[in-house]
Amino acid sequence: MGLFQWIKSWFVAAPIVRDVSGMTSDDVGMRQEVVDTSGKPLKPGHRRRTLRDKRLLPKPAPTGNLWGTKKPKILAREEADRLFSATMRTRDRNIRDLLVDVEQLRHYGLPVWSSEADVASALGLTVKQLRHFSIHRERETTPHYVTFAIRKRSGGHRLIHAPKRKLKAIQRKLHELLASKLPVSPFAHGFRTGRSVATNAAPHVAKPVIIKLDIADCFPTIHFGRVRGLLIAYGYSYPVAQTLAVLMTEAPRQPVEAEGKLYHVPVGPRVCVQGAPTSPALCNAVLKRLDHRLAGLARKHGYEYTRYADDLTFSGLDKVKIKLIITVAARIASEEGLPLNAKKTRVLRAGRRQVVTGVTVNKTAGLSRKERRRLRAALHQQRLGKITDPLKSRQLQGKIAYLRMLNPTQADALVRKPQT
């Protein structure tokens, strides 16, 4: 060390450096990694700060005579076992030691949970009970989900992972306390209070051109890493974000018999599953940036944009821009890691029936003339006393209520008794 560097070391603290010499490179820069402990934003333009747990940072080299002295205990045995368990592993060392950013969480109105103990207390559990549900097991003897398939209307089957009673109660509480409070874009209309298929269809009424796009396998695309990254970005510490992400995701599993026991082993990554109460809200939160980018595309070319779950809808006046909208939207979705299903792309023009999330929008929002005629005939049969089954009567009233939500004028015209 030169004289200047030696004098400087007395007044300026040396940066904290991780030794990554195990990498196969002779480059010194590749063998030493500087840890950002400045407390500045984690990413440019973001609010989330780099607040780090000092206990997990690289320790300075020991100095002096340490003969007979004991190393200070930094972590309790139980905490260390959890932090360095298989469930908590990550290849991204930049987030491994992040602490909670209380200011960020309060800015977004999210619950301030600094540790697993805080999460357990909020959910009415002990830490031990929480960890029973928040550990990823490679050999699960008793899975927390019941998996079954339902037939799709378009063909094929959709896998549903229904959480068992205790986990479902935990996820419902998580939805109430956390998932439902995550920021979403104003263009999302699915799974939101005060929004519906009617509000999703309203901006597209009486438009000459409607473009319908569909995200391929939306829920399975929202994997564990995305959920954890979202929670960290909003201010949660790494251990808390990791725990919450495990609670709200699951891996597809396959039963395997070994050692005289039946194990359920993962055959894919953990993802948001259809059947979990938290998945819809997480979907809206993760797709927030996609919504804003697609809305910007639509606004630039004089179009309207809305999203209901995985259904993307554009509408406008300029027929020349159709191909451009489809091409650029597909590119944006691919960049966001949410590829579109090209087989479900539809372009609906004013000369044919235009339907957006089940709502006919050619002139006004409502049901088609054919569907209203069927309802009118069913109501006539009910007035004549030919519908005596209580279940069918309730179904008919439900259809009328649905139409009233879409278009009260159409509903009133149906229920009005004909003059004799």
Side-chain angles (χ1 to χ4, degrees):
M1 178 184 296
L3 177 63
F4 175 75
Q5 294 294 332
W6 180 76
I7 296 174
K8 182 180 178 182
S9 67
W10 282 83
F11 300 97
V12 180
I16 298 176
V17 177
R18 290 192 182 101
D19 181 12
V20 288
S21 56
M23 295 184 176
T24 57
S25 174
D26 295 331
D27 185 0
V28 176
M30 289 295 294
R31 291 189 283 112
Q32 291 186 345
E33 183 179 71
V34 179
V35 183
D36 181 10
T37 57
S38 63
K40 294 180 180 179
L42 188 62
K43 292 183 178 181
H46 287 216
R47 296 175 182 266
R48 209 273 190 242
R49 296 172 294 166
T50 53
L51 306 176
R52 300 195 181 278
D53 189 342
K54 295 181 179 179
R55 301 174 303 169
L56 300 177
L57 292 176
K59 306 299 182 291
T63 58
N65 184 13
L66 298 178
W67 181 262
T69 60
K70 293 183 178 180
K71 291 183 178 180
K73 183 179 287 187
I74 297 175
L75 294 173
R77 173 65 180 272
E78 184 181 0
E79 186 180 9
D81 287 345
R82 175 62 171 167
L83 285 174
F84 297 101
S85 64
T87 301
M88 289 288 178
R89 288 176 186 166
T90 179
R91 288 178 289 183
D92 188 354
R93 293 187 300 273
N94 194 40
I95 65 172
R96 180 69 181 79
D97 46 24
L98 285 177
L99 287 173
V100 62
D101 188 341
V102 177
E103 182 181 328
Q104 169 87 338
L105 292 175
R106 287 177 177 166
H107 172 78
Y108 287 105
L110 299 174
V112 179
W113 294 333
S114 301
S115 63
E116 285 183 292
D118 292 343
V119 178
S121 177
L123 297 175
L125 305 170
T126 64
V127 173
K128 185 176 181 180
Q129 289 171 332
L130 175 69
R131 288 178 179 172
H132 171 70
F133 294 102
S134 61
I135 291 178
H136 174 71
R137 299 176 178 86
E138 294 294 338
R139 299 197 304 175
E140 183 70 83
T141 55
T142 307
H144 297 304
Y145 290 80
V146 176
T147 305
F148 57 93
I150 59 174
R151 191 180 298 276
K152 292 183 180 179
R153 186 172 58 181
S154 58
H157 292 82
R158 176 180 288 111
L159 280 181
I160 303 297
H161 295 76
K164 293 181 180 178
R165 179 174 55 86
K166 291 184 179 179
L167 180 57
K168 180 177 283 189
I170 292 172
Q171 290 179 341
R172 282 177 173 166
K173 191 71 174 177
L174 271 177
H175 177 268
E176 175 189 347
L177 298 176
L178 173 64
S180 63
K181 296 180 180 180
L182 291 170
V184 298
S185 77
F187 310 101
H189 292 263
F191 319 117
R192 295 185 63 189
T193 303
R195 300 290 183 94
S196 65
V197 292
T199 61
N200 182 68
H204 309 294
V205 173
K207 294 293 179 65
V209 176
I210 293 177
I211 303 171
K212 297 170 62 176
L213 307 174
D214 182 89
I215 299 173
D217 299 323
C218 185
F219 279 7
T221 307
I222 303 172
H223 54 75
F224 171 85
R226 280 189 164 183
V227 176
R228 182 187 65 189
L230 179 77
L231 297 174
I232 288 176
Y234 282 123
Y236 287 106
S237 65
Y238 175 83
V240 170
Q242 188 88 346
T243 297
L244 293 172
V246 174
L247 282 174
M248 296 186 287
T249 59
E250 173 59 337
R253 294 181 180 270
Q254 182 173 329
V256 175
E257 189 172 352
E259 303 170 352
K261 293 183 179 180
L262 183 65
Y263 297 104
H264 298 266
V265 299
V267 292
R270 298 187 73 95
V271 297
C272 286
V273 293
Q274 296 193 48
T278 51
S279 291
L282 287 175
C283 173
N284 278 339
V286 171
L287 268 60
K288 180 184 175 185
R289 189 168 70 171
L290 172 70
D291 285 340
H292 282 290
R293 291 187 67 183
L294 293 181
L297 168 67
R299 186 167 52 249
K300 180 179 179 180
H301 298 289
Y303 273 63
E304 295 285 344
Y305 165 77
T306 62
R307 178 180 61 81
Y308 191 95
D310 57 355
D311 293 327
L312 316 177
T313 307
F314 295 84
S315 65
L317 306 175
D318 194 346
K319 299 178 182 179
V320 179
K321 299 290 182 68
I322 293 175
K323 186 175 181 180
L324 175 65
I325 293 288
I326 295 175
T327 303
V328 178
R331 177 175 57 80
I332 291 174
S334 180
E335 291 173 353
E336 294 293 326
L338 297 155
L340 302 182
N341 185 349
K343 294 181 179 179
K344 292 188 176 181
T345 299
R346 299 287 185 273
V347 178
L348 310 178
R349 302 176 189 272
R352 56 178 293 191
R353 183 186 173 195
Q354 296 173 311
V355 180
V356 176
T357 53
V359 183
T360 303
V361 294
N362 286 73
K363 294 182 179 179
T364 60
L367 295 180
S368 66
R369 186 178 303 173
K370 183 178 180 180
E371 291 170 316
R372 297 201 306 273
R373 284 175 177 171
R374 288 178 179 173
L375 274 178
R376 184 180 292 109
L379 285 171
H380 181 67
Q381 294 292 316
Q382 187 182 52
R383 293 191 187 105
L384 295 178
K386 294 184 179 181
I387 297 180
T388 57
D389 186 352
L391 177 60
K392 291 185 178 180
S393 295
R394 289 195 297 269
Q395 289 175 341
L396 181 57
Q397 293 306 312
K399 292 178 181 178
I400 295 298
Y402 174 68
L403 177 58
R404 191 175 299 280
M405 176 191 72
L406 301 180
N407 191 320
T409 303
Q410 290 183 356
D412 291 340
L414 284 182
V415 299
R416 191 182 302 120
K417 291 184 179 181
Q419 296 181 356
T420 57

